[in-house]
Amino acid sequence: MSIEASPAAPPAEPVAAERVRKAPLYWRVLRLRHVHPNGWQRALLLEGVFVVAVVLVLAGNASAWTLLVLPVVAAVVVKANDLIAGGLKSPPQRSDKS
């Protein structure tokens, strides 16, 4: 029994879905269209707000609901900022100078 070597096939083209870089989860969950926070801003908005909520609860300055409410409020503010930014975009102006 002999095993014949097959000719090397050309490398397959990457799948189209792999070529397109996925947007970060934060952008997809909030469906952001106009505001695109980068990595450190997303970290500040997620982990930073959660850490502040934990510190407030442990210090006794806030109730346990703060752990849930504060990150949600931060996400709502980011989404509102995205909607406002989209509303402020004006269409290109045509100049009718002759």
Side-chain angles (χ1 to χ4, degrees):
M1 200 161 132
S2 69
I3 300 176
E4 294 181 19
S6 63
E13 242 184 84
V15 179
E18 291 177 359
R19 278 189 255 156
V20 177
R21 186 175 172 216
K22 278 189 171 180
L25 182 64
Y26 193 78
W27 294 2
R28 290 181 291 174
V29 168
L30 293 179
R31 297 180 183 171
L32 299 177
R33 295 181 182 173
H34 307 286
V35 176
H36 301 291
N38 59 22
W40 69 268
Q41 292 169 332
R42 287 190 310 270
L44 185 65
L45 289 168
L46 287 175
E47 291 90 358
V49 170
F50 186 72
V51 167
V52 167
V54 168
V55 168
L56 287 173
V57 170
L58 291 177
N61 292 334
S63 69
W65 284 102
T66 306
L67 292 173
L68 297 175
V69 173
L70 200 57
V72 170
V73 168
V76 168
V77 169
V78 170
K79 181 61 179 178
N81 189 7
D82 183 59
L83 293 173
I84 291 170
L88 292 177
K89 281 190 175 179
S90 61
Q93 300 292 329
R94 289 181 47 185
S95 62
D96 294 331
K97 294 181 181 179
S98 301

Tab-separated table of all heavy atoms in Angstrom, residues 36-63:
chain	number	residue	atom	x	y	z
A	36	HIS	N	-18.006	55.911	18.175
A	36	HIS	CA	-17.269	54.652	18.234
A	36	HIS	C	-16.137	54.777	19.248
A	36	HIS	O	-15.016	55.127	18.890
A	36	HIS	CB	-16.705	54.281	16.866
A	36	HIS	CG	-17.771	54.139	15.831
A	36	HIS	ND1	-18.685	53.117	15.851
A	36	HIS	CD2	-18.082	54.901	14.759
A	36	HIS	CE1	-19.498	53.247	14.823
A	36	HIS	NE2	-19.170	54.325	14.156
A	37	PRO	N	-16.430	54.502	20.531
A	37	PRO	CA	-15.372	54.601	21.539
A	37	PRO	C	-14.294	53.543	21.301
A	37	PRO	O	-14.584	52.418	20.912
A	37	PRO	CB	-16.108	54.350	22.855
A	37	PRO	CG	-17.384	53.702	22.490
A	37	PRO	CD	-17.705	54.094	21.093
A	38	ASN	N	-13.042	53.951	21.502
A	38	ASN	CA	-11.939	52.996	21.295
A	38	ASN	C	-11.764	52.132	22.546
A	38	ASN	O	-12.569	52.183	23.465
A	38	ASN	CB	-10.653	53.724	20.910
A	38	ASN	CG	-10.214	54.709	21.950
A	38	ASN	OD1	-10.584	54.602	23.098
A	38	ASN	ND2	-9.416	55.677	21.547
A	39	GLY	N	-10.715	51.338	22.571
A	39	GLY	CA	-10.531	50.335	23.616
A	39	GLY	C	-10.507	50.883	25.027
A	39	GLY	O	-11.203	50.376	25.913
A	40	TRP	N	-9.703	51.904	25.290
A	40	TRP	CA	-9.606	52.405	26.661
A	40	TRP	C	-10.899	53.091	27.084
A	40	TRP	O	-11.267	53.060	28.251
A	40	TRP	CB	-8.399	53.321	26.840
A	40	TRP	CG	-8.489	54.638	26.135
A	40	TRP	CD1	-8.049	54.940	24.885
A	40	TRP	CD2	-9.059	55.851	26.660
A	40	TRP	NE1	-8.318	56.250	24.587
A	40	TRP	CE2	-8.926	56.836	25.657
A	40	TRP	CE3	-9.661	56.187	27.844
A	40	TRP	CZ2	-9.393	58.136	25.816
A	40	TRP	CZ3	-10.120	57.493	28.017
A	40	TRP	CH2	-9.973	58.438	27.005
A	41	GLN	N	-11.614	53.698	26.129
A	41	GLN	CA	-12.877	54.332	26.477
A	41	GLN	C	-13.942	53.285	26.817
A	41	GLN	O	-14.723	53.471	27.745
A	41	GLN	CB	-13.354	55.216	25.327
A	41	GLN	CG	-12.478	56.422	25.116
A	41	GLN	CD	-12.783	57.141	23.819
A	41	GLN	OE1	-13.236	56.529	22.850
A	41	GLN	NE2	-12.520	58.434	23.795
A	42	ARG	N	-13.954	52.182	26.068
A	42	ARG	CA	-14.894	51.103	26.384
A	42	ARG	C	-14.573	50.501	27.744
A	42	ARG	O	-15.482	50.188	28.527
A	42	ARG	CB	-14.860	50.026	25.299
A	42	ARG	CG	-15.511	50.449	24.017
A	42	ARG	CD	-15.682	49.288	23.068
A	42	ARG	NE	-14.500	48.485	22.855
A	42	ARG	CZ	-13.595	48.696	21.901
A	42	ARG	NH1	-13.734	49.701	21.077
A	42	ARG	NH2	-12.560	47.894	21.768
A	43	ALA	N	-13.290	50.330	28.040
A	43	ALA	CA	-12.890	49.783	29.341
A	43	ALA	C	-13.330	50.716	30.463
A	43	ALA	O	-13.830	50.262	31.503
A	43	ALA	CB	-11.380	49.569	29.382
A	44	LEU	N	-13.165	52.011	30.257
A	44	LEU	CA	-13.575	52.979	31.262
A	44	LEU	C	-15.090	52.949	31.452
A	44	LEU	O	-15.587	53.018	32.574
A	44	LEU	CB	-13.121	54.387	30.863
A	44	LEU	CG	-13.364	55.505	31.865
A	44	LEU	CD1	-12.539	55.260	33.118
A	44	LEU	CD2	-13.003	56.840	31.255
A	45	LEU	N	-15.824	52.818	30.350
A	45	LEU	CA	-17.283	52.819	30.442
A	45	LEU	C	-17.828	51.535	31.064
A	45	LEU	O	-18.855	51.562	31.734
A	45	LEU	CB	-17.892	53.016	29.048
A	45	LEU	CG	-17.731	54.416	28.470
A	45	LEU	CD1	-18.101	54.431	27.001
A	45	LEU	CD2	-18.565	55.412	29.240
A	46	LEU	N	-17.175	50.428	30.851
A	46	LEU	CA	-17.671	49.163	31.408
A	46	LEU	C	-17.085	48.884	32.775
A	46	LEU	O	-17.776	48.954	33.792
A	46	LEU	CB	-17.344	48.006	30.457
A	46	LEU	CG	-18.162	47.940	29.190
A	46	LEU	CD1	-17.653	46.837	28.288
A	46	LEU	CD2	-19.610	47.717	29.519
A	47	GLU	N	-15.801	48.568	32.799
A	47	GLU	CA	-15.173	48.177	34.057
A	47	GLU	C	-15.040	49.348	35.018
A	47	GLU	O	-15.221	49.194	36.219
A	47	GLU	CB	-13.796	47.554	33.807
A	47	GLU	CG	-13.841	46.207	33.134
A	47	GLU	CD	-13.809	46.290	31.618
A	47	GLU	OE1	-13.784	47.426	31.091
A	47	GLU	OE2	-13.822	45.243	30.969
A	48	GLY	N	-14.734	50.520	34.489
A	48	GLY	CA	-14.557	51.688	35.347
A	48	GLY	C	-15.820	52.060	36.089
A	48	GLY	O	-15.799	52.317	37.298
A	49	VAL	N	-16.937	52.087	35.385
A	49	VAL	CA	-18.208	52.431	36.021
A	49	VAL	C	-18.596	51.344	37.021
A	49	VAL	O	-19.107	51.645	38.104
A	49	VAL	CB	-19.298	52.638	34.946
A	49	VAL	CG1	-20.669	52.749	35.572
A	49	VAL	CG2	-18.997	53.876	34.132
A	50	PHE	N	-18.347	50.094	36.681
A	50	PHE	CA	-18.664	49.004	37.607
A	50	PHE	C	-17.808	49.103	38.871
A	50	PHE	O	-18.305	48.905	39.985
A	50	PHE	CB	-18.474	47.645	36.927
A	50	PHE	CG	-18.912	46.500	37.773
A	50	PHE	CD1	-20.253	46.261	38.015
A	50	PHE	CD2	-17.983	45.657	38.360
A	50	PHE	CE1	-20.667	45.208	38.808
A	50	PHE	CE2	-18.379	44.600	39.151
A	50	PHE	CZ	-19.730	44.376	39.381
A	51	VAL	N	-16.532	49.427	38.723
A	51	VAL	CA	-15.648	49.566	39.890
A	51	VAL	C	-16.110	50.719	40.770
A	51	VAL	O	-16.123	50.604	42.004
A	51	VAL	CB	-14.178	49.748	39.440
A	51	VAL	CG1	-13.302	50.211	40.582
A	51	VAL	CG2	-13.650	48.461	38.850
A	52	VAL	N	-16.505	51.827	40.164
A	52	VAL	CA	-17.021	52.954	40.943
A	52	VAL	C	-18.270	52.531	41.706
A	52	VAL	O	-18.439	52.877	42.890
A	52	VAL	CB	-17.307	54.170	40.025
A	52	VAL	CG1	-18.117	55.227	40.746
A	52	VAL	CG2	-16.012	54.745	39.510
A	53	ALA	N	-19.149	51.767	41.064
A	53	ALA	CA	-20.362	51.296	41.738
A	53	ALA	C	-20.014	50.383	42.914
A	53	ALA	O	-20.611	50.495	43.985
A	53	ALA	CB	-21.258	50.560	40.736
A	54	VAL	N	-19.049	49.500	42.736
A	54	VAL	CA	-18.635	48.597	43.821
A	54	VAL	C	-18.070	49.393	44.988
A	54	VAL	O	-18.391	49.139	46.153
A	54	VAL	CB	-17.610	47.558	43.313
A	54	VAL	CG1	-16.959	46.811	44.467
A	54	VAL	CG2	-18.275	46.582	42.356
A	55	VAL	N	-17.234	50.375	44.697
A	55	VAL	CA	-16.648	51.196	45.762
A	55	VAL	C	-17.739	51.952	46.513
A	55	VAL	O	-17.718	52.032	47.751
A	55	VAL	CB	-15.586	52.158	45.182
A	55	VAL	CG1	-15.179	53.214	46.190
A	55	VAL	CG2	-14.383	51.383	44.698
A	56	LEU	N	-18.718	52.505	45.794
A	56	LEU	CA	-19.803	53.229	46.448
A	56	LEU	C	-20.626	52.309	47.348
A	56	LEU	O	-21.013	52.689	48.463
A	56	LEU	CB	-20.709	53.883	45.413
A	56	LEU	CG	-20.143	55.103	44.702
A	56	LEU	CD1	-21.073	55.535	43.581
A	56	LEU	CD2	-19.927	56.242	45.683
A	57	VAL	N	-20.886	51.100	46.879
A	57	VAL	CA	-21.670	50.151	47.678
A	57	VAL	C	-20.882	49.709	48.900
A	57	VAL	O	-21.418	49.651	50.016
A	57	VAL	CB	-22.099	48.942	46.819
A	57	VAL	CG1	-22.685	47.840	47.683
A	57	VAL	CG2	-23.103	49.390	45.765
A	58	LEU	N	-19.604	49.375	48.722
A	58	LEU	CA	-18.791	48.930	49.858
A	58	LEU	C	-18.566	50.040	50.880
A	58	LEU	O	-18.405	49.770	52.073
A	58	LEU	CB	-17.455	48.379	49.368
A	58	LEU	CG	-17.535	47.047	48.603
A	58	LEU	CD1	-16.160	46.651	48.105
A	58	LEU	CD2	-18.136	45.962	49.473
A	59	ALA	N	-18.547	51.285	50.434
A	59	ALA	CA	-18.371	52.398	51.360
A	59	ALA	C	-19.667	52.732	52.094
A	59	ALA	O	-19.659	53.528	53.042
A	59	ALA	CB	-17.879	53.629	50.605
A	60	GLY	N	-20.768	52.139	51.651
A	60	GLY	CA	-22.039	52.401	52.314
A	60	GLY	C	-22.723	53.656	51.822
A	60	GLY	O	-23.687	54.121	52.435
A	61	ASN	N	-22.249	54.243	50.744
A	61	ASN	CA	-22.834	55.467	50.218
A	61	ASN	C	-23.945	55.212	49.211
A	61	ASN	O	-24.592	56.148	48.770
A	61	ASN	CB	-21.762	56.334	49.554
A	61	ASN	CG	-20.782	56.884	50.560
A	61	ASN	OD1	-21.111	57.045	51.732
A	61	ASN	ND2	-19.575	57.158	50.106
A	62	ALA	N	-24.144	53.955	48.816
A	62	ALA	CA	-25.177	53.627	47.835
A	62	ALA	C	-25.718	52.236	48.137
A	62	ALA	O	-25.087	51.437	48.823
A	62	ALA	CB	-24.581	53.676	46.426
A	63	SER	N	-26.896	51.966	47.591
A	63	SER	CA	-27.498	50.640	47.810
A	63	SER	C	-26.928	49.648	46.807
A	63	SER	O	-26.220	50.017	45.863
A	63	SER	CB	-29.018	50.722	47.659
A	63	SER	OG	-29.346	50.954	46.311
